[in-house]
Amino acid sequence: MGSFKSGFISILGRPNVGKSTLFNRILGEKIAIVTEKPQTTRNRILGIKNVEGAQLIFLDTPGLHEGGTELNKRMVKTALATGRDSDVLLFLTEATSPPMEEDRQMLERLKVSKGIPFLVINKIDLVKKETLLPLMDQYQKLFPFEKIIPLSALQGDGIEILIEEIVRVLPEASPYFPEDMLTDQTERFIVSEIIREKVIQHSYQEIPYVTAVAIESFKEFTERNLVVIQATIYVEKESQKKILIGKGGQKLKRIGELSRKEIEAFLEKKVFLELWVKVEKNWTRNPKVLDSLGYFS
Ligand SMILES: Nc1nc2c(ncn2[C@@H]2O[C@H](COP(=O)(O)OP(=O)(O)OP(=O)(O)O)[C@@H](O)[C@H]2O)c(=O)[nH]1
Ligand SMILES: [Mg+2]
């Protein structure tokens, strides 16, 4: 028997390639929110996976992109900093497209990382097998990847192999976290993210990118198995607030219902959820507001 292995594995890549889907799939629980729109994840999210003889600590990150606002810059900075400090770096791409200019640029910036680089080609359920070899070849020329692993985060194919290959290269170390711990994210944070997910899924154009959610109060009534939550949804303009509330408040009501159901399942408690929409002009460009919403640089 070898000694115990443990280490940090960051998941990086362009927006929308499936980083959070892979993260949730590995953990077997929905910790990170997932939507069909890019730039969903905004924070570094930690999740712990225990296997025989090893503890793998995964870090989901915001998508690597070029964006003009302070929020965009903080998201990319968070991702790159996470990548620099990890033991293994999973660079995620999609099987549906060749390497893009953004991949090239970000890989260049990741060269300083001390982590062992793996290329993970996701969404193989969408392509024919014979397209994979030429794609692998293109990436191999781009960056000295230690391993290339094709998989489908959505369907779960290839996940076991990925875990085995990670364990193989992890450093020998004692576990960093207790065995029964799954994540370092607070319930409040996950609840705010569930609400943000529902907003993104039910809105269009710029609204997903200008929405933030703050939990104003979170009161537990243990004897009644009840939680009362008040949350504010921030947007940047009056017009966006109007759209989000909808005719006669219908849209906000729907977002509230869907959020409440998922929060109830997550907390395993009955939930009363009260949502407010507020305008905070240009908050995505305002360092002070970003700090207060927990989007640190
Ligand atoms: N067909 C298919 N779709 C996938 C797969 N993995 C993820 N997706 C879809 O891709 C979209 C984006 O998934 P996310 O997990 O949110 O992507 P992400 O990389 O975390 O995106 P950001 O947080 O915006 O950077 C969602 O619609 C997922 O359902 C896959 O293996 N196959
Ligand atoms: Mg994500």
Side-chain angles (χ1 to χ4, degrees):
M1 255 203 40
S3 44
F4 201 85
K5 289 178 155 190
S6 187
F8 291 79
I9 304 120
S10 56
I11 308 176
L12 282 97
R14 271 184 290 109
N16 217 41
V17 294
K19 297 178 295 296
S20 300
T21 307
L22 175 65
F23 177 84
N24 289 337
R25 167 67 67 180
I26 290 168
L27 297 177
E29 291 259 1
K30 181 173 161 188
I31 301 293
I33 59 167
V34 167
T35 81
E36 72 285 4
K37 299 187 183 81
Q39 298 178 35
T40 295
T41 306
R42 291 183 183 156
N43 307 76
R44 164 198 112 351
I45 300 177
L46 181 148
I48 303 145
K49 170 88 178 169
N50 294 294
V51 298
E52 173 124 31
Q55 181 176 72
L56 294 72
I57 302 138
F58 287 91
L59 301 159
D60 185 18
T61 67
L64 300 169
H65 65 286
E66 300 288 340
T69 69
E70 177 69 14
L71 174 63
N72 293 129
K73 295 201 177 89
R74 288 188 181 197
M75 283 159 66
V76 173
K77 209 169 154 190
T78 298
L80 291 173
T82 306
R84 268 196 294 279
D85 292 340
S86 58
D87 299 294
V88 180
L89 201 152
L90 301 184
F91 191 78
L92 207 66
T93 60
E94 301 170 300
T96 46
S97 69
M100 293 186 179
E101 186 50 36
E102 249 170 349
D103 291 309
R104 265 176 249 275
Q105 283 172 13
M106 294 303 170
L107 282 169
E108 196 56 45
R109 292 171 75 172
L110 285 166
K111 277 198 172 132
V112 294
S113 170
K114 69 178 171 67
I116 298 168
F118 282 16
L119 178 72
V120 175
I121 303 179
N122 188 29
K123 308 195 185 181
I124 58 165
D125 54 290
L126 296 176
V127 300
K128 292 210 172 81
K129 262 218 168 82
E130 49 279 21
T131 62
L132 288 176
L133 268 178
L135 196 60
M136 288 174 163
D137 210 44
Q138 282 177 296
Y139 273 105
Q140 197 81 76
K141 285 184 186 132
L142 214 61
F143 197 80
F145 289 109
E146 179 98 5
K147 273 261 158 348
I148 299 189
I149 298 168
L151 53 77
S152 168
L154 193 68
Q155 300 189 342
D157 299 326
I159 306 294
E160 292 299 314
I161 296 169
L162 174 65
I163 302 228
E164 276 169 31
E165 294 294 349
I166 293 170
V167 171
R168 217 185 288 274
V169 301
L170 273 190
E172 283 184 8
S174 320
Y176 291 86
F177 294 97
E179 203 175 336
D180 58 357
M181 192 169 155
L182 180 67
T183 180
D184 69 343
Q185 310 304 304
T186 62
E187 282 186 343
R188 277 174 90 115
F189 173 77
I190 296 175
V191 165
S192 73
E193 288 286 273
I194 292 172
I195 300 166
R196 198 165 62 82
E197 181 188 72
K198 302 308 170 212
V199 173
I200 297 175
Q201 285 170 343
H202 293 86
S203 60
Y204 307 94
Q205 293 170 354
E206 82 272 20
I207 291 182
Y209 309 99
V210 297
T211 298
V213 175
I215 304 296
E216 307 295 350
S217 81
F218 190 105
K219 289 198 190 98
E220 294 204 50
F221 298 88
T222 322
E223 70 287 356
R224 290 163 65 193
N225 203 34
L226 171 74
V227 188
V228 178
I229 300 167
Q230 289 174 316
T232 304
I233 302 173
Y234 287 102
V235 288
E236 291 195 319
K237 295 177 191 163
E238 280 301 330
S239 58
Q240 295 160 348
K241 175 174 170 176
K242 252 194 184 150
I243 295 171
L244 209 53
I245 291 173
K247 266 212 181 86
Q250 281 304 310
K251 179 158 237 159
L252 188 63
K253 195 174 163 211
R254 180 92 185 109
I255 288 168
E257 276 167 10
L258 292 166
S259 303
R260 178 183 52 77
K261 276 191 193 136
E262 190 167 324
I263 296 165
E264 284 185 336
F266 167 63
L267 296 175
E268 296 177 336
K269 290 186 178 104
K270 186 150 180 55
V271 169
F272 282 169
L273 178 64
E274 202 177 351
L275 294 179
W276 297 93
V277 183
K278 266 193 201 156
V279 176
E280 177 69 57
K281 282 210 175 93
N282 288 323
W283 71 263
T284 61
R285 296 174 187 276
N286 185 332
K288 264 200 193 130
V289 182
L290 288 165
D291 283 347
S292 73
L293 288 167
Y295 300 127
F296 301 109
S297 53

